[in-house]
């Protein structure tokens, strides 16, 4: 995965009054061809795979409820306590509450102590949470464990897009960003594949091992160059960038860092403050929440926030989680003799393969085409399921097509994970500049938690009141609205630097053509 692009030493300074355009634009120079041809990206892949192992831990938190709550409510011999259905719902709800606390903690700590330390801290919450589950002898202890685990979930969701996007080259940034959602699925699949066939305590031990493996793998990788430079640690930032890009020449690494940071920071460019070299800012950049809120109010950032919130809303309102809970009913109705746990594993495996397909194709196909195909296909499959449920509710004999909803749910998983399920997390890292990533990530994660909580609580209520078919028609409509939003509001970010993406957002354009491909530009994020 060597880079064959060419980098520049010739600089053109655009006037300061140009706002976001007030940047130093680098131009290609053939004299760097020898250096750049030796660059590699394998360390970025390894670092992002290691970092997103924390998202495998997130997936185990969700998978545990699928496999363990039924054991706890039935009071099987290996569980420490038997719980009621109401207590079971509180276990789920408290996880959501914890995941809404985590983003604020994660955003603050990621900006103060670094993305790497924040991810390692999240693993500490997972370790404490699963240890509490192992030793729990009361439902109150389980409540505490789920809040702790939820905090770890919130920190991981907030910090991972920051770390991944800040170390990834433009040409692989989208693919690496999809690993966040793919590894959540991996964690859920792992838990659902093991949970039904091992004891309650053995499952807790296995899930405890996941964050430990993450710590062992991830501790070897450095902090992101952007964070180190923002804290005035330019030498460390240079070494970090050289490590991730495989640059051996120190001067080349310093020049590359200058170019990289011109693309990810707003204020230093606007104020004409050098980022490296003479006159560079050396003291840590400290911004209050008020200052970050002001940055969020820039037109480019408000549009980015609107796009991401729209996609997150579509994720939750697609009914993906609710559909997974409905699998048991669908498979029983189809009378194909597949155990509920096996059915869950089958659907999760299909979703994981589809998420992997998104990772493999996102840099070639682009973000918009995948999201357009995903939202439209999700809408169609949900509408088919709604029609089936409506006919069944009206007493029409649907026994001849009992396999239809099973096949439909599997196709829905493929469509959902191809874009809508995987790309929003990647886009968080792409659409926001470094100064506001943590703040924006916290807003998005809390919004996701609140909406997810509302959907999970209201799904059964509305289904009992208006019928399951009405719920799924609503889910289908939500995905169709997301399809319309992507067409008219979503810019294509493939092959573009953060600075170019910010300019597109500020101008309100949604260009799909790339005037330069990743092979013909600097791959610096």
């Amino acid at each position: 995965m060597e880079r064959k692009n060419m980098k520049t030493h010739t600089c053109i300074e655009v006037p300061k009054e140009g706002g976001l355009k007030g940047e130093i634009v680098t131009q290609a120079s053939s004299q760097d061809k020898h250096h750049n041809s030796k660059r590699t990206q394998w360390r970025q892949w390894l670092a992002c795979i290691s970092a997103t192992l924390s998202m495998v831990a997130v997936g185990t938190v969700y998978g545990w409820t699928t496999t363990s709550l039924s054991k706890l409510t039935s009071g099987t011999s290996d569980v420490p306590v038997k719980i009621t259905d109401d207590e079971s719902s509180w276990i789920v709800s408290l996880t959501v509450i914890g995941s809404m606390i985590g983003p604020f903690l994660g955003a603050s700590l990621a900006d103060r102590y670094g993305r790497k330390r924040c991810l390692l801290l999240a693993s500490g919450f997972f370790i404490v949470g699963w240890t509490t589950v192992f030793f729990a002898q009361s439902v109150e202890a389980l409540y505490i464990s789920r809040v702790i685990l939820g905090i770890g979930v919130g920190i991981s969701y907030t910090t991972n897009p920051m770390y991944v996007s800040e170390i990834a080259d433009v040409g692989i940034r989208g693919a690496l960003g999809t690993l966040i959602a793919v590894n959540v699925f991996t964690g859920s699949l792992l838990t659902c594949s093991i949970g039904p066939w091992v004891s309650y305590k053995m499952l807790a031990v296995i899930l405890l091992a996941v964050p430990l493996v993450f710590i062992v793998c991830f501790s070897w990788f450095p902090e992101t160059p952007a964070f180190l430079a923002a804290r005035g640690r330019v030498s460390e930032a240079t070494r970090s960038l050289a490590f991730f890009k495989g640059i051996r020449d120190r001067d080349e690494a310093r020049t590359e860092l200058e170019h990289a940071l011109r693309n990810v920071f707003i204020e230093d460019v606007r104020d004409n403050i050098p980022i490296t070299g003479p006159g560079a800012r050396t003291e840590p950049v400290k911004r209050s929440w008020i200052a970050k809120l002001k940055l969020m109010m820039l037109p480019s950032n408000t549009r980015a926030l609107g796009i991401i919130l729209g996609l997150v809303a579509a994720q939750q309102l697609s009914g993906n989680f609710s559909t997974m809970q409905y699998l048991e009913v669908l498979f029983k109705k189809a009378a194909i003799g597949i155990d509920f746990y096996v059915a869950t594993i089958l659907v999760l495996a299909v979703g994981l393969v589809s998420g992997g397909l998104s990772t493999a194709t996102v840099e070639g196909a682009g973000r918009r085409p995948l999201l357009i195909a995903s939202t439209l296909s999700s809408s169609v499959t949900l509408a088919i399921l709604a029609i089936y449920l409506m006919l069944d509710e009206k007493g029409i004999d649907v026994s001849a097509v009992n396999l239809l909803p099973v096949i439909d749910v599997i196709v829905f998983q493929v469509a959902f994970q191809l874009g809508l399920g995987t790309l929003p997390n990647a886009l968080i890292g792409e659409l926001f500049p470094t100064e506001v990533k943590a703040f924006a990530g916290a807003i998005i994660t809390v919004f996701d938690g609140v909406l997810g909580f509302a959907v999970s609580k209201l799904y059964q209520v509305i289904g009992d009141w208006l019928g399951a078919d009405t719920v799924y028609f609503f889910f289908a409509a939500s995905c169709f609205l997301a399809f319309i939003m992507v067409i008219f509001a979503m810019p294509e970010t493939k092959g573009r630097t953060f600075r170019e993406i910010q300019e597109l957002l500020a101008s309100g354009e949604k260009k799909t053509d790339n005037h330069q491909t990743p092979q013909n530009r600097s791959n610096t994020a």
Side-chain angles (χ1 to χ4, degrees):
M1 296 169 61
E2 295 185 354
R3 287 180 51 180
K4 299 182 180 178
N5 53 310
M6 295 180 292
K7 180 118 182 81
T8 95
H9 289 303
T10 307
C11 295
I12 302 175
E13 185 167 349
V14 183
K16 176 181 173 184
E17 288 76 16
L20 286 174
K21 297 180 189 258
E23 61 176 301
I24 291 182
V25 182
T26 54
Q27 298 183 354
S29 153
S30 61
Q31 59 190 349
D32 287 318
K33 182 177 180 180
H34 175 69
H35 289 304
N36 290 344
S37 64
K38 295 181 179 180
R39 297 187 187 181
T40 60
Q41 296 173 330
W42 63 269
R43 288 176 179 171
Q44 296 171 38
W45 277 95
L46 282 182
C48 290
I49 291 171
S50 298
T52 54
L53 284 177
S54 62
M55 301 309 293
V56 176
V58 170
T60 63
V61 175
Y62 295 135
W64 183 86
T65 58
T66 303
T67 58
S68 296
L69 286 186
S70 59
K71 290 183 178 182
L72 288 165
T73 53
S74 61
T76 56
S77 59
D78 64 334
V79 299
V81 60
K82 182 178 180 180
I83 63 175
T84 65
D85 289 338
D86 182 61
E87 289 169 337
S88 174
S89 69
W90 270 108
I91 286 175
V92 175
S93 300
L94 287 171
T95 309
V96 176
I97 292 172
S99 70
M100 289 188 285
I101 298 171
F104 295 105
L105 184 61
S108 176
L109 295 178
D111 277 348
R112 179 170 296 185
Y113 299 109
R115 286 71 163 119
K116 177 182 175 179
R117 289 182 180 178
C118 197
L119 286 173
L120 291 172
L121 174 67
S123 67
F125 281 96
F126 292 127
I127 291 170
V128 173
W130 290 124
T131 302
T132 306
V133 169
F134 181 86
F135 289 107
Q137 294 296 319
S138 66
V139 69
E140 289 78 15
L142 291 176
Y143 289 163
I144 293 171
S145 71
R146 296 304 290 184
V147 172
I148 294 171
L149 290 168
I151 292 173
V153 167
I155 294 175
S156 297
Y157 262 118
T158 303
T159 313
N160 258 287
M162 299 161 62
Y163 187 87
V164 171
S165 64
E166 289 175 12
I167 70 169
D169 285 345
V170 167
I172 59 174
R173 189 180 60 217
L176 293 178
T178 62
L179 292 176
I180 296 170
V182 168
N183 276 341
V184 174
F185 239 71
T186 302
S188 295
L189 178 60
L190 173 69
T191 310
C192 292
S193 300
I194 296 173
W197 295 278
V198 300
S199 67
Y200 170 88
K201 287 200 170 185
M202 179 56 68
L203 180 60
V205 171
I206 294 171
L207 301 186
L208 176 61
V210 174
L212 294 174
V213 171
F214 161 72
I215 292 173
V216 171
C217 295
F218 184 60
S219 297
W220 300 97
F221 293 96
E223 181 57 78
T224 70
F227 171 78
L228 293 170
R231 304 298 289 177
R233 296 151 62 182
V234 177
S235 295
E236 291 178 64
T238 304
R239 289 195 296 271
S240 173
L241 183 138
F243 171 84
F244 285 121
K245 295 182 182 294
I247 302 174
R248 297 184 179 180
D249 183 84
R250 186 174 179 81
D251 290 335
E252 183 187 356
R254 194 177 294 114
T255 302
E256 181 81 0
L257 179 67
E258 173 75 26
H259 174 64
L261 299 182
R262 287 286 173 184
N263 274 310
V264 298
F265 287 107
I266 295 176
E267 292 300 292
D268 286 350
V269 170
R270 285 183 158 189
D271 298 335
N272 208 24
I273 299 173
I275 299 173
T276 64
R281 187 192 297 277
T282 56
E283 74 279 7
V285 179
K286 296 180 180 179
R287 293 190 175 95
S288 66
W289 287 99
I290 299 299
K292 291 176 183 178
L293 181 59
K294 289 181 179 178
L295 288 177
M296 277 299 304
M297 297 306 293
L298 292 174
S300 57
N301 291 328
T302 55
R303 186 182 175 202
L305 184 63
I307 290 170
I308 298 296
L309 291 182
L311 291 174
V312 168
Q315 276 186 331
Q316 292 293 350
L317 298 177
S318 69
N320 180 56
F321 177 77
S322 303
T323 302
M324 292 298 293
Q325 305 306 304
Y326 205 61
L327 279 180
E328 184 173 14
V329 175
L330 293 177
F331 276 80
K332 283 181 178 178
K333 189 180 288 289
I336 55 178
I338 297 181
D339 182 77
F340 166 60
Y341 291 119
V342 176
T344 302
I345 293 169
L346 173 65
V347 175
L348 285 173
V350 169
L352 181 60
V353 171
S354 182
L357 183 62
S358 175
T359 301
T361 60
V362 65
E363 296 300 351
R367 285 60 157 164
R368 287 186 82 247
L370 284 183
L371 282 170
I372 287 171
S374 177
T375 51
L376 181 59
S377 300
S378 296
S379 179
V380 171
T381 52
L382 288 168
I384 291 172
L385 182 57
I387 292 171
Y388 171 87
L389 293 172
M390 180 182 67
L391 295 176
D392 190 42
E393 284 286 328
K394 290 184 176 181
I396 298 174
D397 184 15
V398 291
S399 58
V401 289
N402 269 352
L403 278 176
L404 176 64
V406 175
I407 297 170
D408 187 70
V409 168
I410 292 174
V411 174
F412 166 73
Q413 277 300 318
V414 173
F416 181 81
Q417 296 301 332
L418 186 63
L420 189 56
T422 53
L423 288 179
N425 288 300
L427 289 169
I428 292 172
E430 290 191 324
L431 295 183
F432 296 102
T434 295
E435 294 102 321
V436 298
K437 268 187 188 147
F439 190 78
I443 294 172
I444 292 163
T445 306
V446 171
F447 176 78
D448 184 42
V450 171
L451 198 57
F453 181 79
V455 171
S456 64
K457 285 294 184 183
L458 296 177
Y459 167 74
Q460 193 63 51
V461 175
I462 296 176
D464 293 341
W465 180 32
L466 298 175
D469 57 320
T470 302
V471 175
Y472 279 95
F473 275 124
F474 175 78
F475 289 159
S478 299
C479 288
F480 187 76
L481 289 175
F483 165 72
I484 299 297
M485 184 199 73
V486 172
I487 288 180
F488 290 102
M490 175 73 203
E492 178 57 74
T493 59
K494 181 183 105 174
R496 299 187 185 277
T497 65
F498 287 114
R499 181 72 48 193
E500 291 171 328
I501 294 169
Q502 284 285 298
E503 291 175 357
L504 274 180
L505 290 167
S507 66
E509 297 179 40
K510 56 178 190 301
K511 293 180 182 177
T512 57
D513 60 310
N514 291 316
H515 57 283
Q516 290 177 302
T517 64
Q519 290 75 24
N520 296 326
R521 69 162 78 233
S522 166
N523 279 341
T524 305

